[in-house]
Amino acid sequence: MQIFTFPLLAARLAGGFSRPARLQDLDPAIRAALDAGGLAELEGVRRLPGTARSIARTLARVWQADLDLERLADHSARLAELAEIERRVRANLPAGVLTPRDLRDGALARVTHAPATLGPIEIDRVAAIALVWRPLLAALAKTVPLAWRDPGTLETTWFPGQIVVSDVGPPASISVTSCANPRAEIVEALRWMRELIASGRARPSEIAICATATEEWDEHFLVLVADSELPLHFSHGMPALASREGQACAALADVLLNGLSQDRIRRLFGHARGRSRALADLQADWSLGLRPGAALLELDQWRRALDEGAGRHADGVDPRPIVMPVLQLLARGPEAATQAGALLLGTAARTLWTEALRRAPAEALEFTLQDLRLPDGRDPGAAVAWCPASHVAGAPRPWVRMLGMTSRSWPRRAVEDPLIPSHILPRAVLDADPITERDRRAFAVIARHATQGCVLSRSRRNPQGGQLSASPLIPQGISPQVLKRARIPQHAFSEADRILARPDEAAASPALVAANLCWRNWRRPAVTAHDGQVRGDHPQIARAISEIQSATSLRLMLRDPLAFVWRYALGWQAVSEDDQPLALDARAYGELVHELLKHAVDALEPTPGYARASRQEIEATLAGATEAIRARWPLERSVPPALLWKHTLAAAAQLALKALTLDETFQPGTRSWTELAFGHGRAGATTHDLPWSPNAQVAIPGTEVSVQGSIDRLDLTGDGRAVRVSDYKTGVEPRRADEIVLGRGAELQRVIYAIAAGQLLPDSPRVIARLVFLGDEEPRAYRLPDVDQTIAELGSHVTAAVALLRAGRALPGPDAQEEHNDFRIALPASPATYFQIKNAAFMGAFGEFARIWGCR
């Protein structure tokens, strides 16, 4: 006995090594037909990625309906063009590869050989037979015994053979369940499946779960079944992107479609290294020396970044001969898809890649990869089947659960063919068996053969929250059982589901106890351990306090003590994004301006000297600094696209020029420095003579806290009796800027600069500290009214902050409520509600420390 589909049956009878045309044969033939041109109505769309797929679907409908496009060509210009495309496709197919109509005609010509080549024929549980095969069956009925067992349709009067109806027994009563959403439907289906197997009422091979289309539920099934370890077989195949091979293809497609970037290349090489020919010899530390924050979006940036890191490999192996040819290939984009797949993908992934490229052009890889399927490797005879309804209709099982029983899915609505709409050819002619009728027929077949149990499941809402109405196929008079998501089931499908159903057992789980306590503590109007309260004199906090602080860490200490602990005691850091921004954020833009200032002043010292340089010399030096940063920054961090990066640099250079030419010196002999380091020996510090050693320690008076940093600008008179320190601000000047002293703990730089100048310069010079706002048309400078008093005030606030942290009250401060807080993800999901509940308790715990948030 042999099992055939209708095309294979016809091919067997036609002989001559004939075989039916598959998608692998049709897709290139259709592309070749479109590339030949000479079309009129379809000329505007023939090069679009989806055109070949649409034509393949239209031709399939035409062939299944047994339509002769040559005869219909006179009715419409569209039909005439499709007839021409069909002629080209037939001519482009390989030898022996035939369309359904040609295959049928070839079989009809040799129907007299049916007794020898085929023998008795039984059509088993085929729901409907396309019009194209009916003439062949009529001819076969005259030469061999022909029977149709359990047809899924009542329209069988045309069939010339014997109709055999099996006695499957009375169908089981139908029950209806109503679930919250598609995911809840799957949870209930798995509970039902577990109950049947565990109770011994059904074997896995007797159970089926189906839907008209599976895409809405596939991903949920993948996740939940992995957690439950239940034997579930995807008869339609698992999504290819759920496999390692599919992810390798996705990584390659991401690079080809979206361009080079460090994150994309690292992900691709992680999948391909050791599995591809091109990267077989690439060492694991190939990326040593690449800056994590650099986007590296251009081939030249990669070349220079790899050149800089080439000498850092301890084994002396240079990765550039391997990496650069691959990057050059990937930089070509989608046109290099075929070659890139052959070089960078393993055998299994390469098969997927070839199939994706066959289905559509490389520009559409993002969509074709999502449609690919892979066998799940399970034996269908020993597993529950999850599949489209058409699969169950062809191989019914006694226990069935149908998902998605809503008006939009059971049955699905028939849609017009995009190339042959109904005003060109009536839909009933083109689609003799519409999808609506197929779904109704499948429902009837599945329900009739479900002799042990049939459950109809529907969602009350779709994934977006919209309400759904029940399917018209649900029998009238059956009251649905409403299943709530929080209900306690009789059978749990996984460990998590079991714990959810047993509160007493969940209460003994340390992880759940901790999570529940955290949630409850966040809702209590009191300070708890989940708000940042820890034991006093915690060694990690003491270590963080003893380290040399910066203006950034001091701001966190004063404005958000909890974030200070997270960042400096626990070492948490925000993840740097390497996606190409359209503009630098405020912090990065300020760093750009400061780096321009440093490069310019370093170039001017010691000759001719910044204080003695003319405006033309400053502008020329600044232009050189701009070019140096233009080339270097893309190797260290993400920068905007080329044109926007050019304008960003130009704007930053203008601000830097304002800062460098802001005012005249105090008196003849005054020396000036920019980015003057103190409190540490930073690599790359200026090499000309400095007023102090960068390693000299600076401490905030009256505290145990040492500080470090770089002064934006320092001007020192020739006699050393007066010094001016400037803190440059690149943003727009705020309101009442002249009243800012400590800015509620946010403006600390100029005060720290004044402390450093006062402690490190000899003879205790008079210190002038100022804020300089460069963002407006004219820069404005605002002096600190009383430097000594402000330093003393800062010391008292820092002392209070240190005492607070040492006491274990590291609580969130005002900066925690900022929208752009780097640590917001570690706070409750509704921070506004959280702080409203906790505010009174926090203010009581902060005590005198909170004075800093009320100062100017």
Side-chain angles (χ1 to χ4, degrees), residues 481-493:
Q481 180 185 8
V482 178
L483 302 177
K484 297 184 179 298
R485 285 185 294 181
R487 79 182 186 95
I488 298 178
Q490 291 183 348
H491 284 262
F493 73 92

Side-chain angles (χ1 to χ4, degrees), residues 28 31 48 151 189 317 334 386 399 418 427 471 539 568 572 654 663 789:
R31 288 206 191 95
L48 296 180
V317 178
W386 158 240
W399 295 91
R427 187 188 300 175
S471 166
Y568 296 99
W572 294 2
Q654 286 297 317
D663 44 27
Q789 180 182 348

